[in-house]
Amino acid sequence: MTEGSSRSLDRRWWTAGLIASTALLCVWCGVFAGIGGWVAGRDIGRREARLELSATAAAQPVLPDLGVLVTRLDRSGPAARAGVARGDVIVAIEGVYVQDARDLRNEILRYRVGDTIRLTILRDQSEQPMNVVLGAFPGNPRLPYLGVYYTARGEEPADL
């Protein structure tokens, strides 16, 4: 091998090593940026839910002892189509009173996608019945979906 071809070969290895190191560094930074974005997104989501809960609770200063407060709605969801609004309190499903979010979830899971259920909501200090046709839960078409984001008193907001 001549001295010139040896130098050329050394440069190629050095260049290949530099490119591989740069690619590895980019992947490493990308992974950490993705994790950081995920953590920040979850934190922002929680803060937004707390703010919405505060705003909704302020709009309805006297919350009942029983029921689940609707903090947000899926705009294209079954509850929104039926007329449920932000600030409503779901107090019963098919005449069965719900005390908290667990009760609401358990009652909804007794039905199937496409079933029509009668919700009793509290709006402007009066109970109102509403018929809602349950949809399919996004990501799991076998589970019934009401399309509300809710909270019970003293609990973190959730969705159903």
Side-chain angles (χ1 to χ4, degrees), residues 136-142:
F137 198 88
N140 190 345
R142 289 189 225 158

Side-chain angles (χ1 to χ4, degrees), residues 58-144:
Q60 192 168 96
V62 181
L63 293 176
D65 293 332
L66 300 176
V68 177
L69 176 67
V70 176
T71 58
R72 262 189 318 160
L73 289 146
D74 176 353
R75 291 182 200 160
S76 61
R81 286 193 304 264
V84 176
R86 182 176 170 203
D88 287 346
V89 178
I90 300 172
V91 294
I93 297 176
E94 291 293 333
V96 177
Y97 285 94
V98 293
Q99 182 171 348
D100 55 23
R102 184 179 313 138
D103 288 349
L104 177 65
R105 183 191 67 234
N106 290 342
E107 283 302 312
I108 293 292
L109 290 175
R110 291 179 54 219
Y111 300 95
R112 294 185 184 153
V113 175
D115 286 351
T116 300
I117 60 170
R118 189 183 77 236
L119 290 181
T120 303
I121 64 162
L122 187 64
R123 182 184 290 168
D124 299 327
Q125 304 303 318
S126 66
E127 288 188 0
Q128 299 176 10
M130 289 190 170
N131 290 326
V132 178
V133 178
L134 294 173
F137 198 88
N140 190 345
R142 289 189 225 158
L143 289 178

